[in-house]
Amino acid sequence: MSRRSRILVLLYALHALWSAWCATQQAFYGNVLVATVFVLFSVVPIAAVLEQNELTDLRDAVHYYKSLEARRRSRDTHEAQLKAAGLQRAD
């Protein structure tokens, strides 16, 4: 996860905590409607954090498969060079 993603996740988490605290305070004072709005405000950042985590996992998978493909191409190129020189790989 990049530094920017970590900072973003931290800000989302702090926002969720602050919204949950506001919802608790509003519920204590009897403002149920406002407390419900703050609960929704605390759920949205949590969903964003989960989505950010999913995007990070997908990005890591793309990098993994790209590096795997690059290694395969390198091996195939090396084998083709050896074959052209009349040699074989010794594994």
Side-chain angles (χ1 to χ4, degrees):
M1 187 182 286
S2 69
R3 179 178 292 182
R4 186 179 66 179
S5 297
R6 288 181 184 149
I7 291 171
L8 187 63
V9 166
L10 178 64
L11 289 175
Y12 281 149
L14 290 175
H15 182 269
L17 286 174
W18 177 78
S19 294
W21 181 81
C22 290
T24 304
Q25 294 300 314
Q26 292 299 323
F28 283 152
Y29 287 113
N31 296 332
V32 177
L33 181 62
V34 177
T36 305
V37 170
F38 275 115
V39 166
L40 291 175
F41 284 163
S42 65
V43 170
V44 170
I46 292 169
V49 167
L50 294 175
E51 184 64 28
Q52 182 72 24
N53 189 31
E54 181 68 27
L55 290 174
T56 302
D57 290 344
L58 289 174
R59 201 171 333 151
D60 290 344
V62 167
H63 288 303
Y64 171 75
Y65 286 115
K66 279 185 179 179
S67 67
L68 193 66
E69 181 66 21
R71 283 192 304 258
R72 187 191 60 78
R73 275 190 308 234
S74 174
R75 187 188 69 231
D76 291 347
T77 302
H78 183 67
E79 286 178 358
Q81 289 172 346
L82 288 175
K83 188 175 182 180
L87 303 171
Q88 289 184 351
R89 275 183 64 171
D91 288 333

